[in-house]
Amino acid sequence: MIRFWRSVLVLLLLTALAHGQHASPADFDTSYRPSQIVSARIQRNFLESIRWNVSAEARNNLAAAFAERPALEIWQDLVAADGLKTGNVADALTAYWVLNWVTANARYNLKIDNGPIQAQMRQAMADDPNFLGLSDLQKQEMAETYILKFLVEHAALNDAMVRKDVAALGRLALAAANRFRQEMGVDLLALEPGPQGFAPKAAPSRPAQ
């Protein structure tokens, strides 16, 4: 379901990038009623994927970190200043897209207004009949999966920045760009955030002849 929705979302966002946003999505509600039981299952499945796709050690370290402090609480502290909240699909996706754009473009110190990107996400969801038919459980699965992915990727980026590891930052940038290109068909290097959300980068002006 997550993979199917991701494809639909990408198509909608690409349309928005090409043609601009239309009716204001400000009143469209992308929140859901969370369940702690569902959260526990999502986290358990995510940790198992880390175990098999990365290593048992990475899985254990991540599980220990989440046992010390809940994952959703960590995420909320990281994004609160950007006006994003748990229990909202658009907010979870906004944070994930912004993090990957920053990582891919190595724009670590750029202050990004998340509001227009959040509106762009809401617009995509408001326009999609598949999203309108999702249950709270499905919305929670989608949002919290991206939240967990955000935490892992944010931790890796923060660690490389603290260590000033240029090689690691380069690998993370390449991974972020490739991840979006291969999984979503989106070139993060060709986009930039602005007052309308993510939009194609302006073509460089040619010097006057």
Side-chain angles (χ1 to χ4, degrees):
M1 191 277 295
I2 295 295
R3 182 174 299 175
F4 171 74
W5 161 249
R6 182 172 60 199
S7 299
V8 173
L9 175 64
V10 168
L11 289 175
L12 289 168
L13 285 176
L14 290 177
T15 300
L17 292 176
H19 303 292
Q21 298 181 33
H22 38 90
S24 172
D27 295 330
F28 184 71
D29 185 12
T30 60
S31 66
Y32 55 87
R33 290 170 294 181
S35 161
Q36 292 185 352
I37 294 176
V38 173
S39 287
R41 176 172 57 78
I42 294 168
Q43 181 171 303
R44 183 170 60 251
N45 291 342
F46 183 79
L47 290 173
E48 281 303 297
S49 72
I50 294 293
R51 175 187 179 186
W52 294 111
N53 295 323
V54 183
S55 69
E57 181 181 5
R59 183 265 180 207
N60 293 339
N61 290 339
L62 197 57
F66 292 162
E68 183 176 336
R69 191 178 182 202
L72 296 182
E73 184 179 309
I74 298 172
W75 183 88
Q76 183 63 84
D77 279 356
L78 290 172
V79 303
D82 297 315
L84 306 178
K85 298 179 180 179
T86 56
N88 192 295
V89 184
D91 288 15
L93 284 164
T94 295
Y96 188 72
W97 274 66
V98 170
L99 173 64
N100 276 269
W101 184 88
V102 166
T103 304
N105 287 273
R107 301 296 298 276
Y108 314 121
N109 298 317
L110 179 66
K111 177 59 178 177
I112 297 176
D113 182 359
N114 282 250
I117 299 168
Q118 181 189 51
Q120 195 173 38
M121 296 293 170
R122 285 179 179 168
Q123 185 71 72
M125 295 172 190
D127 289 343
D128 180 29
N130 292 293
F131 182 83
L132 299 178
L134 294 183
S135 65
D136 280 337
L137 184 151
Q138 291 171 314
K139 291 177 183 178
Q140 184 174 355
E141 287 179 337
M142 184 190 311
E144 294 187 10
T145 296
Y146 278 108
I147 284 174
L148 292 170
K149 287 161 64 74
F150 173 99
L151 290 175
V152 170
E153 294 166 22
H154 182 276
L157 178 62
N158 188 63
D159 177 67
M161 290 180 64
V162 168
R163 293 186 291 105
K164 298 181 180 180
D165 189 333
V166 176
L169 290 171
R171 289 192 296 270
L172 291 172
L174 182 62
N178 285 340
R179 179 163 51 246
F180 267 62
R181 188 178 294 115
Q182 295 171 4
E183 296 182 3
M184 300 187 177
V186 173
D187 184 1
L188 290 176
L189 303 180
L191 301 178
E192 61 185 354
Q196 298 300 317
F198 281 117
K201 288 182 178 178
S205 57
R206 295 182 178 180
Q209 298 295 326

